Amino acid sequence: MDLAFSAEDLAFQREVREFIAANYPADIRARFDAGLEPRKEDFVRWQKILYEKGWIAPGWPKEYGGTGWTATQKYIFQEELGAANTPGIIPFGLAMVAPVIYTFGSEEQKKRFLPGILSSDVWWCQGYSEPGSGSDLASLKTKAVRQGDKYIVNGSKTWTTMAQWADWIFCLVRTDSTVKQQEGISFLLFDMKSPGVTVRPIITLEGGHEVNECFFDNVEVPVENLIGEEGMGWTYAKFLLGHERSGIAAVARSKRGIAKLKKIANAEQADGAPLIEDPDFRRKLAELEIDLTALEYTELRTLARESQGKGPGPESSILKIKGTEIQQAITEMAVEAAGYYAFAFNRRAMDGSNEPIIGPAATAFAAPSYFNMRKTSIYGGSNEIQKNIIAKMVLGL
Amino acid sequence: MDFNYSDEQKLLIDSVERFVKDDYDFDTRRAIVKSEAGFRRDLWQQFGELGWLAVPFSEEDGGLGGTPVETMIIMESFGKGLVVEPYLSTVVMAGGLLKLGGTAAQKEAILPDLMAGGLIVAVGYAEPSSRFNLADVSTTASASGDGYVLKGHKSVVLHGPMADKLIVSARTSGDRRDADGITLFLVDAGAAGVSRQDYPTVDGLRASEVILENVQVSAADIVGPLGGGLALLDQVVDEAIAAICAEAVGAMEVLHKATLEYCRTRVQFGQPIGRFQVIQHRLVDMYMAYEQAKSMAIMANLKLDAEPAERRRAVSAAKVQIGKSARFVGQQAVQLHGGMGMTDELNVGHYFKRLTMIETLFGNTDFHLKRYAA
């Protein structure tokens, strides 16, 4: 046992750090550092930079464009991206549909879809949740009926993240209603520009537009867009959920969040002294930092198991639960730290439209971030569902 | 970065776990706790023969040159069996103080016998009103001729009743809470002027109130620098905290597994209570608390060799996590076992009691939160 990075790992860390310093565009950095709402072009531009370098898909097997890095190297890469506050790599193409395609797809599908995912020329979205099926995903009702060499898709999806920017969707559809719920589901890919697809924004409580409703009205999908076998969609979906969970703990993001929180607490005055000197505040901050340290070491232990070929198992549900609890707690404390200026709704400034900010810059989006981060314990399988997973898969209950 | 045990470490795990399983079952432990001595000298000597008491000492001191990871392994396994023998006091603490601050003569006189399972040494670092502050020392050591005269009261000296020697902190200069002026002294437990009030602790250990009434010691009995004993004590207490964090992880593992098994088999309302979601989520929360505690115990043990400020922060962070996890896992283990969890007969309550005292030992969660945030 040893906490030190090897000489090779340290050299790798330096290489990543230097690459980011030299190649992370200043305008995107400014936008992200100010906490403004990200734009599609920011994500795409940054992902293309990583793609050119060959670093866009560390989780993929080498033959398809992966990096062949060790678990420690992947961890270092995540840490460095997080520390530099780069745009997060959008998971829908690279981390979600791609592993399904290269694991269960045909040669033809791999050739057709993987290059566009790697180069970030094709933006994907995830068609899982439906208005009536929240955590009970298998109850989905969107129907695909085969007619000759086409499926006719009817139904709707919801909470579809960034569907407004998506070129393609990977979609769970019901192809058989006569069998057990889980056995009648298939995994379909289709073009979001297909006739019959409508996307409507859902504005979330902080005022942002991340998620959408998608309606499918007699959308025609060629049968060659079916992944694997008809009726096996649930198996592929479960595979996807268990895949590529690195980064799910968001440790680097939370470290940055705590640094920002400290900045706010240094600037805020309470009874003539900086808030950070208040014993109650310090105590809560210390608890948060300790929670995060524990999570970081739990993640490192998980990675160590993975590098021995074990996992990523259902244990990684811990990372999701603790990671989201900590992210939420940080934003919660930022609102507390901001005091009265948390009231100011700097909505237009958040778009980056040069509207002057009311109050200090560091607290300008504290409340919207807090409101927005409530999503983390709901999405990706709610934390209650994660506990069901651990109870069943780890504890054998 | 590496979180794997070496092959030798795996052998050590096997050997200590086998001992706990085969030779230290719950009835054996219960008999030891109820016995007059409160520990088993034959088992202690067996630890010596197996080399466990020599683990943390350097090869030139006659030890095995182990790292904190080996100590962590032993303490985690001891935690699984609630071993009451004086490993923490004698090997980790007294041994740690002598290893770092002992003179060649002291080491030669004590360590071989200690490692063989002969000599038992306990450490007096607390006083009736010092609470967790190691610098709060009222016991005085006044210069007298070639030596010193000790006067004071060391409280809750763990494993004091079985100790042949004591190492106590006393003030050679400065005011009551000054960092400077604290000196550590080796004292024979039977020396003139030493009196003890021995008693059992709630978690099955033994402790003493040690009264020092004009106890004569010589300058050769000083461990570490004159007046500079605090830094030494501070480091060794941090090592002891890392060790009890590992012990707590072992105890929590047993409680979590026992509770899981109980919930799988205990039938109420026609089904095992483990089928109820409210119970399942509680067990998941216990599992997460255990895993987070284990992560922090490993972290702290691997950071014991860091420079003092980093070491202190790491150890306090771990102690906070272990304190919270131990309380949660302990309380929930009792809760989910229902009435049985309340009985003296079942082992669960005994693990809960040890975990509760670990939470207090060397500073509770509040104390370490404050130390971390300072």
Side-chain angles (χ1 to χ4, degrees):
Chain A
M1 282 202 182
D2 185 9
L3 292 181
F5 285 134
S6 68
E8 294 85 43
D9 288 336
L10 285 172
F12 175 76
Q13 184 182 45
R14 242 184 342 267
E15 186 190 354
V16 173
R17 200 170 284 174
E18 282 165 12
F19 177 81
I20 295 172
N23 294 282
Y24 184 20
D27 61 312
I28 303 181
R29 183 191 298 259
R31 232 188 126 80
F32 273 72
D33 283 351
L36 303 182
E37 276 184 344
R39 297 169 303 192
K40 179 180 182 180
E41 61 261 37
D42 299 332
F43 289 110
V44 172
R45 188 143 57 101
W46 174 238
Q47 288 187 187
K48 279 180 169 293
I49 290 168
L50 293 176
Y51 166 65
E52 300 289 337
K53 178 71 180 168
W55 286 356
I56 191 63
W60 292 23
K62 226 171 163 208
E63 53 174 318
Y64 298 120
T67 52
W69 287 339
T70 63
T72 306
Q73 286 175 313
K74 286 184 205 169
Y75 172 76
I76 290 171
F77 183 65
Q78 286 286 348
E79 277 281 292
E80 292 301 318
L81 291 183
N85 199 16
T86 61
I89 294 174
I90 300 299
F92 308 109
L94 285 153
M96 296 177 129
V97 73
V100 171
I101 292 173
Y102 62 63
T103 308
F104 303 106
S106 65
E107 284 311 309
E108 176 57 34
Q109 288 169 333
K110 291 181 204 173
K111 271 191 217 119
R112 184 172 167 208
F113 294 113
L114 295 180
I117 295 174
L118 270 178
S119 67
S120 299
D121 284 323
V122 180
W123 189 294
W124 286 81
C125 65
Q126 179 187 34
Y128 272 32
S129 292
E130 295 187 3
S133 73
S135 290
D136 182 11
L137 187 56
S139 68
L140 59 91
K141 292 194 173 62
T142 293
K143 248 187 156 160
V145 178
R146 186 157 175 173
Q147 281 184 9
D149 57 357
K150 290 188 189 96
Y151 286 102
I152 308 299
V153 179
N154 277 289
S156 65
K157 295 287 175 181
T158 192
W159 316 123
T160 319
T161 303
M162 296 168 183
Q164 73 269 33
W165 298 337
D167 303 299
W168 277 71
I169 186 168
F170 58 95
C171 206
L172 292 180
V173 293
R174 186 159 303 285
T175 42
D176 189 347
S177 309
T178 64
V179 292
K180 222 180 112 196
Q181 267 191 349
Q182 282 83 353
E183 289 161 12
I185 295 169
S186 299
F187 200 101
L188 269 190
L189 316 178
F190 57 90
D191 194 326
M192 288 291 278
K193 289 182 292 296
S194 309
V197 176
T198 311
V199 176
R200 271 194 220 144
I202 299 173
I203 303 304
T204 38
L205 74 172
E206 85 287 358
H209 174 202
E210 290 180 340
V211 288
N212 302 273
E213 287 180 287
C214 299
F215 300 92
F216 311 127
D217 181 17
N218 288 317
V219 178
E220 295 186 1
V221 180
V223 289
E224 66 259 30
N225 290 11
L226 173 77
I227 291 287
E229 290 169 51
E230 210 176 79
M232 289 292 286
W234 186 250
T235 305
Y236 307 148
K238 275 201 302 190
F239 160 85
L240 186 158
L241 287 174
H243 192 85
E244 182 63 34
R245 313 206 75 173
S246 74
I248 195 177
V251 170
R253 182 195 179 110
S254 288
K255 280 184 184 169
R256 215 171 51 235
I258 285 182
K260 188 165 180 187
L261 176 59
K262 285 180 177 170
K263 209 165 120 188
I264 296 173
N266 264 306
E268 278 298 315
Q269 295 282 312
D271 297 323
L275 178 64
I276 198 141
E277 289 171 17
D278 178 84
D280 290 331
F281 184 86
R282 288 186 81 81
R283 181 191 167 102
K284 283 204 280 187
L285 185 65
E287 291 192 85
L288 205 48
E289 284 188 286
I290 290 167
D291 267 354
L292 182 57
T293 307
L295 177 66
E296 183 176 15
Y297 281 86
T298 300
E299 183 179 34
L300 288 169
R301 287 172 55 219
T302 308
L303 287 171
R305 275 199 298 273
E306 258 177 70
S307 65
Q308 292 180 307
K310 300 175 200 157
E315 297 88 359
S316 57
S317 288
I318 294 184
L319 304 180
K320 201 267 172 174
I321 296 170
K322 294 304 294 183
T324 54
E325 284 175 357
I326 290 168
Q327 288 172 65
Q328 292 180 334
I330 292 169
T331 55
E332 209 173 284
M333 260 189 92
V335 173
E336 291 175 14
Y340 274 126
Y341 275 119
F343 272 80
F345 188 26
N346 292 292
R347 178 67 215 151
R348 286 180 57 76
M350 207 166 178
D351 293 340
S353 49
N354 284 331
E355 190 95 343
I357 281 167
I358 309 295
T363 62
F365 311 120
S369 300
Y370 163 60
F371 298 143
N372 181 268
M373 291 311 276
R374 300 313 301 168
K375 72 188 175 188
T376 62
S377 51
I378 300 167
Y379 69 28
S382 70
N383 287 9
E384 288 75 17
I385 291 290
Q386 302 296 332
K387 288 188 182 180
N388 291 349
I389 291 172
I390 296 175
K392 192 171 168 200
M393 311 295 286
V394 183
L395 304 184
L397 289 166
Chain B
M1 206 182 302
D2 176 17
F3 285 92
N4 300 314
Y5 294 112
S6 67
D7 288 342
E8 280 124 358
Q9 288 167 344
K10 283 181 193 155
L11 287 175
L12 180 63
I13 295 173
D14 284 349
S15 110
V16 189
E17 301 249 290
R18 203 171 332 112
F19 164 79
V20 166
K21 199 165 158 281
D22 297 345
D23 303 326
Y24 213 90
D25 60 25
F26 191 62
D27 288 337
T28 305
R29 193 236 181 215
R30 188 191 290 278
I32 295 172
V33 168
K34 285 193 171 153
S35 71
E36 177 70 25
F39 82 115
R40 282 257 303 266
R41 192 169 284 280
D42 61 319
L43 292 179
W44 186 249
Q45 280 160 353
Q46 190 186 330
F47 294 177
E49 283 156 26
L50 289 164
W52 298 348
L53 308 181
V55 158
F57 299 101
S58 70
E59 282 164 27
E60 62 192 58
D61 285 341
L64 297 175
T67 67
V69 175
E70 278 78 14
T71 305
M72 176 172 84
I73 286 169
I74 291 173
M75 290 300 291
E76 186 174 339
S77 301
F78 280 177
K80 291 181 189 174
L82 293 180
V83 172
V84 297
E85 276 63 24
Y87 198 88
L88 178 74
S89 295
T90 297
V91 178
V92 179
M93 296 195 73
L97 291 171
L98 290 166
K99 185 170 74 168
L100 291 167
T103 62
Q106 286 167 347
K107 286 183 184 177
E108 210 174 308
I110 295 171
L111 292 187
D113 203 5
L114 185 155
M115 286 186 255
L119 199 70
I120 292 173
V121 190
V123 182
Y125 45 87
E127 298 187 356
S129 51
S130 69
R131 212 172 154 79
F132 307 125
N133 182 0
L134 297 172
D136 192 338
V137 177
S138 302
T139 297
T140 53
S142 327
S144 156
D146 294 345
Y148 294 84
V149 173
L150 303 179
K151 210 176 156 113
H153 179 173
K154 305 311 280 191
S155 59
V156 200
V157 178
L158 287 178
H159 300 113
M162 59 204 75
D164 305 298
K165 283 180 182 293
L166 304 167
I167 299 177
V168 297
S169 58
R171 194 161 275 294
T172 40
S173 65
D175 290 328
R176 184 171 148 190
R177 290 181 200 83
D178 285 353
D180 290 332
I182 294 165
T183 306
L184 304 175
F185 290 92
L186 256 171
V187 185
D188 270 339
V194 176
S195 59
R196 285 194 334 248
Q197 183 194 355
D198 297 342
Y199 53 92
T201 63
V202 293
D203 53 349
L205 271 54
R206 298 297 166 96
S208 309
E209 298 300 294
V210 175
I211 310 295
L212 305 162
E213 188 90 41
N214 296 322
V215 179
Q216 289 281 345
V217 287
S218 83
D221 295 322
I222 293 176
V223 179
L226 175 68
L230 184 64
L232 183 61
L233 190 58
D234 215 33
Q235 178 171 348
V236 169
V237 167
D238 277 354
E239 290 170 1
I241 293 173
I244 58 166
C245 285
E247 184 188 348
V249 166
M252 278 188 261
E253 185 184 328
V254 171
L255 278 187
H256 178 247
K257 282 187 175 157
T259 309
L260 194 55
E261 190 47 40
Y262 182 76
C263 293
R264 277 206 195 102
T265 49
R266 168 71 170 160
V267 173
Q268 294 275 269
F269 306 105
Q271 55 182 323
I273 60 171
R275 297 253 174 85
F276 298 118
Q277 199 173 42
V278 71
I279 304 278
Q280 291 180 351
H281 285 200
R282 191 83 52 80
L283 287 163
V284 170
D285 290 339
M286 287 171 75
Y287 168 69
M288 292 198 297
Y290 160 74
E291 287 288 342
Q292 295 282 78
K294 180 159 184 160
S295 294
M296 289 300 256
I298 293 171
M299 185 278 293
N301 276 284
L302 293 182
K303 284 203 171 184
L304 283 179
D305 295 330
E307 49 95 23
E310 191 187 348
R311 179 196 79 216
R312 204 170 291 140
R313 225 171 127 79
V315 164
S316 280
K319 189 67 168 45
V320 168
Q321 180 66 57
I322 265 78
K324 289 182 178 178
S325 291
R327 183 179 291 194
F328 183 74
V329 171
Q331 290 179 347
Q332 295 310 321
V334 172
Q335 174 71 22
L336 294 181
H337 276 87
M340 277 309 292
M342 288 303 298
T343 63
D344 177 71
E345 181 192 343
L346 193 70
N347 62 3
V348 165
H350 298 266
Y351 283 88
F352 172 49
K353 288 191 281 185
R354 178 62 187 150
L355 285 172
T356 303
M357 291 305 107
I358 286 178
E359 192 187 328
T360 303
L361 189 54
F362 309 124
N364 58 19
T365 301
D366 281 349
F367 176 86
H368 282 283
L369 256 178
K370 237 181 245 168
R371 192 171 87 145
Y372 179 91

